[in-house]
Structures are given as structure tokens and as C-alpha cells.
Amino acid sequence: MSTHSIKTVAVLGSGTMGNGIAHVFARAGYNVILRDVEQRFLDRGLETISKNLDREVKKEKISAADKPLILARIKPTTDVAALAAADLAVEAVPEQLDLKLRVLKEADAALKPGAILASNTSSISITQLAAQTSRPEKFIGMHFMNPVPMMVLVEVIRGLATSDETFAATMSLCESLGKKPVAVNDAPGFVSNRVLMPLINEAAFCVMEGVATPESVDAVMKLGMNHPMGPLELADFIGLDVCVDILEVLYRGFGDPKYRACPLLRKYVAAGWLGRKTARGFYKYS
Ligand SMILES: NC(=O)c1ccc[n+]([C@@H]2O[C@H](COP(=O)([O-])OP(=O)(O)OC[C@H]3O[C@@H](n4cnc5c(N)ncnc54)[C@H](O)[C@@H]3O)[C@@H](O)[C@H]2O)c1
């Protein structure tokens, strides 16, 4: 499957990442099949896409006339059989191994034999996911960043069996979306989370040990290291539960205690302080 033969893309899951991924494919001219399990999740995803397109019109990134054309390219469905029309599918369902395996097997059975199957997982092994499908050589990681319409990076992860052809097609596909793909090999946390999560974890230890307040930790990193967001602001944005889950993957994957999640992160998660999504994490949000 070469890039120019990819015309229709299926996106599995219309949540935070899925609706962003559908948005960027439709904006770049691809036909999109957006699949979720219930109509209300699709409605919510489409509403988000519509709002985000309005923002792009306001910022003059697209014209007002483009918006209905982009929306018209997205076909929402709850029917797995609709995937048969896709040349590529990107899975963006929640980060739970059992669920991902079920969704990927289902997609593998519905897709045509030549189609590429990609996962947007943040931390699960691409090699492991690929092995559960009938097309490990056509399986790849496409790790988009949140918010997808704005963030330029796609971390492209090659599983052990990913073919050169699949890899090349995926890299040029990302470029056709106006993204910058960066290739990495399959390893726990890939590069993005292997480097980011220990930073967030150490920042949480600084707060737990009374070295500094969250505001001070973030100020040091923003003013001293030129980070656009402090690590704790970023942790609240990602979700503290998601951070703990990824640290678990690193801890188990490497068997190295340096990746153990900070007890304060665990305590916040136990309290339901998950960050922005619950209006409370290291910071309070109104
Ligand atoms: N949120 C982030 O910042 C971020 C960043 C990079 C990667 N990721 C990864 O992206 C993936 C999705 O994360 P998210 O934040 O978008 O999750 P989310 O919970 O916002 O969305 C997941 C969607 O998948 C749907 N879904 C569940 N079961 C399904 C099924 N069987 N078929 C189709 N859809 C189904 C849910 O209804 C929901 O709409 C995860 O693997 C996550 O690790 C997330």
C-alpha cells in the first residue's frame, strides 16, 4: 500500500485523540470513516471537530467554505463492517491492552488484506499488538500528540515485523497531513513518554518532598529551561491517571525501579484528582 493509494482512512474511537485524527485526515482531503461504539460518542466527536474547525476559520488556517467540505468527508458509523472501505485504519480506543486487542482483531477481520493497521497507543508494545493480527508486516504505531490538529509531531513506531513498505507509506502519509513524522523503534514508552514521564515523576517527587510548590517547580522549568509548559501543568493536561499508567508500563517493561510512580501521583489519582478533566490535579481549575 503506497501513500497515493490511500484515499479512505478509518479512525477507531472518536474521543480526544480519535476526533483530532479524523479532523487532520479530513482536512488533508482524505475520506474518513469514524467508528465508535455508540452514536452519542460519535455526535460528541463531531461536535468537537466542528468547534475546532471554527477556531481554524477564525485563525484563517482554513476558509469558511472549507469547513462544510471537511465535515462532509467524515462518515460516522457504529458498524465495524464499514471498515471494509478503508485503505488504512488508525486505532484510538482507551489505553487498555484487552480492549485494544479486541478492537484490533475486529478491525483486522473487517479490513481488506492490503490495508495498513496503525495504533495510536502511548505505551503498549507495537510488536505485541501486531502479533495478534494477521498482518504484522502491515502494522505500525502512529503516535499523534494532543491536541492533534495543532501538534506537529507524529512518533512513528516500527514493530519488529513492520515492513519497509508500510513504514515508508506511513512516513509520507504523515507528511501529507502537514505533520513531521519521527521514526523510532518499538521499546516501552517509545521516546516521547520514556523521556517525558520521568521528568513529570521527578517534578512530583519534588512537590511530595517539600522541595518546592507546583508553581515553583513549573516556574523553574519554564523560565530556566524554556519549556512552554511546566511538567506539572503538563501532567494535569495529560491526566495524572494516564501518567501513572504509563509509568507502570515503563516500570514493568524495563524492570528498573527508576520508573516507579511517585506516591503523590498515586495519592492524587486515588482521590480522583486526575488533572484538568476533573478540575483538580496539581492545580485547581474552575
Ligand atoms: N489523550 C492524550 O493526550 C493522548 C495522547 C497520545 C496518545 N493517546 C492514546 O490515544 C488513545 C486514545 O486516547 P483518548 O485520550 O483519545 O481516549 P478517549 O477515552 O478520549 O477516547 C476513546 C474513545 O474510544 C471509544 N471506544 C471504546 N471502545 C471502542 C470500540 N470497541 N470501538 C471503537 N471505539 C471505541 C470510546 O467510546 C471513546 O470515544 C489511547 O491509546 C491513548 O493512550 C492519548
Side-chain angles (χ1 to χ4, degrees):
M1 181 72 57
S2 64
T3 319
H4 50 262
S5 54
I6 298 175
K7 305 232 178 323
T8 300
V9 172
V11 180
L12 314 176
S14 62
T16 310
M17 298 304 288
N19 74 59
I21 295 167
H23 176 139
V24 297
F25 273 108
R27 192 175 63 190
Y30 294 91
N31 301 314
V32 176
I33 300 161
L34 182 59
R35 203 245 155 183
D36 210 307
V37 281
E38 287 183 38
Q39 188 58 42
R40 63 193 169 110
F41 300 137
L42 291 165
D43 293 343
R44 199 177 50 193
L46 287 169
E47 201 183 302
T48 304
I49 295 172
S50 175
K51 276 191 200 143
N52 289 339
L53 287 171
D54 285 338
R55 204 167 297 149
E56 291 182 348
V57 172
K58 227 181 233 167
K59 287 187 184 162
E60 295 181 358
K61 279 186 163 183
I62 59 168
S63 73
D66 287 336
K67 182 184 166 185
L69 300 177
I70 294 170
L71 282 175
R73 288 189 200 114
I74 305 174
K75 301 274 179 284
T77 183
T78 53
D79 182 8
V80 186
L83 269 54
D87 305 307
L88 172 136
V90 185
E91 168 275 311
V93 304
E95 190 81 347
Q96 295 152 18
L97 179 62
D98 291 352
L99 174 64
K100 285 213 189 277
L101 289 178
R102 186 157 53 75
V103 169
L104 289 168
K105 279 182 184 164
E106 213 173 54
D108 184 34
L111 286 166
K112 50 190 164 201
I116 293 175
L117 185 47
S119 174
N120 185 52
T121 177
S122 308
S123 59
I124 300 172
S125 163
I126 295 301
T127 305
Q128 183 184 5
L129 295 177
Q132 299 298 315
T133 72
S134 68
R135 60 185 85 214
E137 71 293 346
K138 294 196 174 65
F139 197 99
I140 196 156
M142 282 181 93
H143 187 203
F144 289 87
M145 304 291 130
N146 183 18
V148 182
M150 291 171 64
M151 299 295 281
V152 173
L153 175 70
V154 183
E155 199 177 24
V156 174
I157 304 114
R158 290 190 76 149
L160 197 59
T162 307
S163 70
D164 289 345
E165 196 191 359
T166 299
F167 171 68
T170 307
M171 293 294 278
S172 47
L173 183 72
C174 292
E175 277 160 11
S176 76
L177 301 175
K179 303 288 183 199
K180 290 266 180 286
V182 176
V184 309
N185 288 319
D186 193 19
F190 316 131
V191 169
S192 50
N193 283 316
R194 182 171 177 177
V195 175
L196 175 63
M197 286 302 152
L199 173 71
I200 287 175
N201 207 34
E202 209 55 40
F205 272 112
C206 285
V207 174
M208 186 181 81
E209 292 169 11
V211 178
T213 61
E215 289 81 357
S216 298
V217 171
D218 282 344
V220 167
M221 298 308 289
K222 284 192 283 192
L223 304 177
M225 319 300 162
N226 254 356
H227 287 199
M229 276 174 109
L232 299 171
E233 281 177 86
L234 183 55
D236 274 0
F237 183 74
I238 294 169
L240 303 186
D241 51 337
V242 176
C243 294
V244 169
D245 287 347
I246 297 172
L247 282 160
E248 289 288 350
V249 169
L250 293 171
Y251 182 73
R252 279 199 308 273
F254 291 110
D256 188 330
K258 78 177 175 183
Y259 296 110
R260 76 197 187 286
C262 172
L264 185 64
L265 274 176
R266 290 189 186 284
K267 190 186 260 186
Y268 282 2
V269 172
W273 297 7
L274 307 183
R276 279 184 177 272
K277 60 189 168 189
T278 58
R280 177 118 201 217
F282 284 97
Y283 297 94
K284 285 184 187 163
Y285 304 88
S286 50

